Amino acid sequence: MTAQLTDRAALMRQRARAVDAGPALFLHEAATDEMQDRISMVNKAFTAPAIITGWPAPWRAAFPEATIIADEPTLALEPETHDLVIHAMALHWSDDPVGQLIQARRALKPDGLFLGVMSGGTTLHQLRASLAQAESEVTGGLSPRIAPTGEVRDLGGLLQRAGLALPVVDSVPLTASYTDMTALMRDLRAMGEGNAMAARPRHFARRAVFDRAAQIYADAFGDGAGRIIATYDLIFLTGWAPHASQQQPLRPGSATTRLADALNTKETPLDD
């Protein structure tokens, strides 16, 4: 049984409130720009794209020809229907990211392209550290307040487990500055990216915790001009539905050229 990371109902409420209040979409704008650049470098025309996302508006605007699919646990995708599937800014809230990738891979035609983008890596590490230190000092304990983030080295393995060929994972770090921690948290609410973890505390935190966290943040992560810095790491995932035309790894022991010859160096045998 998959462990429950996300309170899905809370996540949907946060997204709805953000849309009603006027969402902050700068991360989606950065992600769509980067995604369009990456697709333009692929020597292939895509005629049946699908996009999996909880934020249809910015992605529909960037890819008007794409079918938009909600990021539900069970995706509304038909097998071998699309030549391009994009998983857009939603995988970091999935309780079963491998399952999401498997469903996306099954929806691809042979030699179809999967592209994913999600928050991960060092995203909000400053806020995480400040809240943890403040809560430890004030209450003597810790509460789950910011969702865990995936690392580049681990996410490549997820692509392989999902059966995608030629997997590549890389990150694009972004930074933003805010007047203070309150402004940052207001922006996170406008993104629909507040605390929606299933294990989050259900009571209001003490004001002293946030006051102390704001002080720690300003002291440790100020920009020297009276503002604070926040990091957002966009993690990009690339993989292909397997096809016979793709490059295949050689069988171990099948090499016909010695490495020493290729490097023009002398091979030194090791003692047994």
Side-chain angles (χ1 to χ4, degrees):
M1 182 178 294
T2 303
Q4 184 180 5
L5 167 68
T6 302
D7 181 340
R8 179 101 188 147
L11 178 63
M12 299 306 290
R13 287 195 300 270
Q14 290 187 19
R15 288 176 176 174
R17 283 196 295 264
V19 170
D20 290 342
L25 298 176
F26 69 91
L27 287 183
H28 290 271
E29 292 165 357
T32 55
D33 287 347
E34 182 70 24
M35 199 68 78
Q36 288 172 326
D37 286 345
R38 291 169 184 244
I39 292 172
S40 70
M41 292 187 288
V42 178
N43 187 25
K44 182 174 182 176
F46 298 103
T47 59
I51 300 178
I52 304 159
T53 185
W55 292 88
W59 290 90
R60 184 177 288 115
F63 298 92
E65 74 286 0
T67 300
I68 304 296
I69 305 296
D71 62 320
E72 300 286 348
T74 300
L75 301 174
L77 291 169
E78 297 296 327
E80 296 191 11
T81 303
H82 302 282
D83 53 7
L84 171 65
V85 173
I86 298 173
H87 209 303
M89 298 298 288
L91 266 176
H92 57 284
W93 283 118
S94 174
D95 288 336
D96 183 16
V98 175
Q100 292 279 298
L101 296 177
I102 289 173
Q103 293 179 74
R105 191 259 299 164
R106 288 175 177 168
L108 285 169
K109 299 175 182 180
D111 202 35
L113 175 62
F114 171 82
L115 290 170
V117 57
M118 61 185 289
S119 294
T122 61
T123 294
L124 297 178
H125 71 91
Q126 302 96 335
L127 180 61
R128 187 191 308 275
S130 300
L131 286 171
Q133 182 179 338
E135 189 167 21
S136 178
E137 290 179 7
V138 174
T139 70
L142 288 176
S143 302
R145 299 191 180 279
I146 300 178
T149 54
E151 297 290 341
V152 168
R153 61 179 178 273
D154 300 322
L155 293 171
L158 299 188
L159 291 171
Q160 293 178 312
R161 287 173 59 189
L164 288 160
L166 309 175
V168 176
V169 180
D170 64 292
S171 67
V172 176
L174 305 172
T175 58
S177 71
Y178 296 92
T179 54
D180 53 29
M181 195 182 82
T182 300
L184 165 58
M185 298 182 74
R186 188 183 304 119
D187 222 9
L188 293 176
R189 286 193 295 272
M191 296 179 196
E193 294 288 340
N195 187 355
M197 286 189 290
R200 72 190 186 281
R202 303 307 172 97
H203 55 82
F204 289 108
R206 292 167 58 180
R207 177 63 181 269
V209 172
F210 289 102
D211 288 344
R212 177 60 181 139
Q215 180 183 1
I216 294 169
Y217 203 132
D219 292 343
F221 305 108
D223 65 356
R227 297 175 67 86
I228 62 170
I229 298 297
T231 298
Y232 299 98
D233 239 351
L234 296 183
I235 308 296
F236 287 84
L237 304 90
T238 306
W240 294 83
H243 189 263
S245 65
Q246 294 168 355
Q247 294 178 339
Q248 302 295 323
L250 294 175
R251 179 175 54 82
S254 62
T256 59
T257 303
R258 295 168 64 248
L259 179 60
D261 294 339
L263 297 177
N264 194 28
T265 188
K266 179 178 180 182
E267 184 176 3
T268 302
L270 299 176
D271 295 332
D272 293 336

